[in-house]
Amino acid sequence: MNSAAAYPPPSAPPANMFGNVPGYEDIMSGGGGYLPPPMPLEPIAPPQPGPTPDNWNIPSMSEDEAREAFKSYVSAQCCYRSGPAEDGVITNTEPSNTYRYRLETFTESRLTEWATKPHEGEPADFYTETAPRPWEVQATPPNLFTNHTQEIRVPYTASIKDCHSCHATGTMPCEECHGNGYKQCWVCNGSGSKSDENCSHCNGTGKDRCSECNSHGTKDCETCKGKRQLLTYIKLKVEWTNNMEDHVVEQNSGLTADLKSVTGKELFKNSQYLLYPLIGFPNPVIAEASQRLVTEHQSKYAQNSRILQQRQTVELIPITKVNYKWKGDSYTYYVYGNERQVSADDYPATCCCVIM
């Protein structure tokens, strides 16, 4: 008899496997998901303006500093000869600083779903007490503005059920041998003979032991791991997310490099529960970006999450355009960011490198 016939195929968890828990009714109808946060018990104080910064400038880069950055950049390129960086004559430098505004909104989101795990002796506490609502369950938050996820078994929702996949037998037919314990011999293709003689690999049986199930024809059920029973419970997933957006003022220096990889001089930082947009900023584009992003974040993230803190930062990113001459021709490179990265698209002394 084919032992696979004794095991009905695995099925999805039956609807009656999960109980009805007050406050979690939406899960039964396929709902759950992200949950709107509860209304605060006390009125929230309106956001207040932050302090006005008093220094918006970065000193210009000297020629010596620009040349050293250029030399360091060229030495790190495998196909650049050092001549222009060593012997090029700097004709002038043009500072072209640009502002970067960054808004961070740190949120906590909660979602629920029914879950199962192999029963390993845990007690069933379903309905022994009233289950706390999703936003009442205690969770340990990370440091502010740090992404983190925590999964919590909601108290008083756990019950013990027979495994629906193996029908509480703890085993399932081996898929490799279809529950027979043996497979067709790969040497003789199941014929039992090879070159008119009994196959030496299978001793003429045409069968080969199934190594996947050690010839038993069955394996531990993947769902219950052989335990026969499952612990069913409501799983609460808590996600802390730092939602961050940048706005860089368009600069006309000609630099095409992405400024996301560099830092600048921090001119301003303000952090509180709900922020007030920047006021009095000398660049109107940054003030407009602050107004737009703060409004968007507070509207968007308050729908399905709890805003824990907001932070806005303004950086002044230094950009220096360097014009120089080498062998009678004019060229340009840029030094940008506190890291003094260099962009030199028209570097005049490159060679072809072959990497073996």
Side-chain angles (χ1 to χ4, degrees):
M1 176 182 176
N2 187 337
S3 60
Y7 297 89
S11 60
N16 62 1
M17 188 171 196
F18 307 113
N20 184 17
V21 180
Y24 296 85
E25 292 85 359
D26 285 346
I27 303 180
M28 299 303 299
S29 58
Y34 287 101
L35 306 164
M39 293 296 292
L41 297 178
E42 298 180 2
I44 299 172
Q48 300 298 317
T52 302
D54 55 8
N55 182 11
W56 304 106
N57 300 309
I58 294 179
S60 298
M61 178 177 291
S62 69
E63 288 189 8
D64 288 342
E65 291 172 322
R67 184 182 298 279
E68 287 304 313
F70 197 27
K71 288 180 181 180
S72 177
Y73 165 76
V74 170
S75 67
Q77 312 302 312
C78 67
C79 298
Y80 283 21
R81 295 194 294 271
S82 62
E86 296 284 350
D87 305 323
V89 178
I90 295 177
T91 56
N92 73 306
T93 60
E94 303 173 24
S96 181
N97 302 328
T98 191
Y99 296 111
R100 176 168 60 203
Y101 173 81
R102 172 171 294 167
L103 175 64
E104 299 167 88
T105 299
F106 186 56
T107 61
E108 177 184 341
S109 303
R110 297 193 173 201
L111 60 89
T112 56
E113 61 185 1
W114 278 104
T116 63
K117 67 175 293 294
H119 181 231
E120 298 174 303
E122 301 95 335
D125 61 4
F126 186 73
Y127 264 134
T128 56
E129 291 188 34
T130 303
R133 301 300 174 97
W135 285 95
E136 296 172 348
V137 177
Q138 294 297 312
T140 305
N143 293 331
L144 289 175
F145 305 106
T146 303
N147 292 334
H148 184 62
T149 300
Q150 183 179 0
E151 292 186 351
I152 304 170
R153 188 188 309 165
V154 178
Y156 313 118
T157 64
S159 58
I160 301 168
K161 305 287 185 179
D162 287 343
C163 178
H164 59 279
S165 292
C166 65
H167 302 279
T169 64
T171 60
M172 293 289 288
C174 174
E175 294 182 0
E176 187 72 19
C177 65
H178 306 290
N180 292 312
Y182 292 87
K183 298 186 295 183
Q184 177 179 284
C185 175
W186 62 272
V187 176
C188 65
N189 294 323
S191 67
S193 62
K194 188 172 179 65
S195 301
D196 297 326
E197 294 182 359
N198 280 350
C199 175
S200 60
H201 182 77
C202 65
N203 294 323
T205 64
K207 298 179 180 180
D208 204 359
R209 290 172 58 88
C210 178
S211 58
E212 189 70 20
C213 65
N214 200 24
S215 298
H216 291 149
T218 59
K219 298 173 62 178
D220 280 350
C221 172
E222 287 294 327
T223 303
C224 69
K225 308 301 182 187
K227 302 296 185 181
R228 301 188 179 189
Q229 291 182 315
L230 299 172
L231 187 76
T232 68
Y233 58 95
I234 293 177
K235 179 173 67 177
L236 174 66
K237 186 176 182 181
V238 187
E239 293 181 348
W240 291 274
T241 306
N242 189 32
N243 304 280
M244 182 171 63
E245 283 189 74
D246 289 347
H247 182 89
V248 178
V249 175
E250 184 177 353
Q251 41 86 19
N252 300 315
S253 65
L255 175 66
T256 58
D258 190 352
L259 297 179
K260 290 182 179 179
S261 62
V262 298
T263 60
K265 177 185 178 183
E266 186 178 283
L267 303 178
F268 173 80
K269 178 182 286 186
N270 184 27
S271 177
Q272 57 189 37
Y273 165 56
L274 288 178
L275 287 172
Y276 195 87
L278 286 175
I279 56 175
F281 196 83
N283 187 302
V285 176
I286 287 294
E288 291 169 6
S290 174
Q291 176 70 54
R292 175 177 58 83
L293 291 177
V294 167
T295 301
E296 288 179 359
H297 275 218
Q298 292 177 1
S299 172
K300 176 180 178 181
Y301 296 115
Q303 299 299 315
N304 293 316
S305 60
R306 175 186 282 164
I307 295 177
L308 302 180
Q309 193 82 353
Q310 288 189 299
R311 178 168 64 191
Q312 57 185 349
T313 309
V314 179
E315 291 175 279
L316 190 57
I317 301 175
I319 300 174
T320 300
K321 180 180 180 180
V322 183
N323 299 301
Y324 69 100
K325 284 191 174 183
W326 185 66
K327 293 187 176 181
D329 293 321
S330 297
Y331 302 95
T332 299
Y333 67 90
Y334 296 87
V335 184
Y336 59 100
N338 288 340
E339 296 78 5
R340 294 190 175 175
Q341 293 192 19
V342 171
S343 175
D345 294 337
D346 62 349
Y347 193 75
T350 60
C351 60
C352 296
C353 298
V354 178
I355 300 176
M356 302 300 291

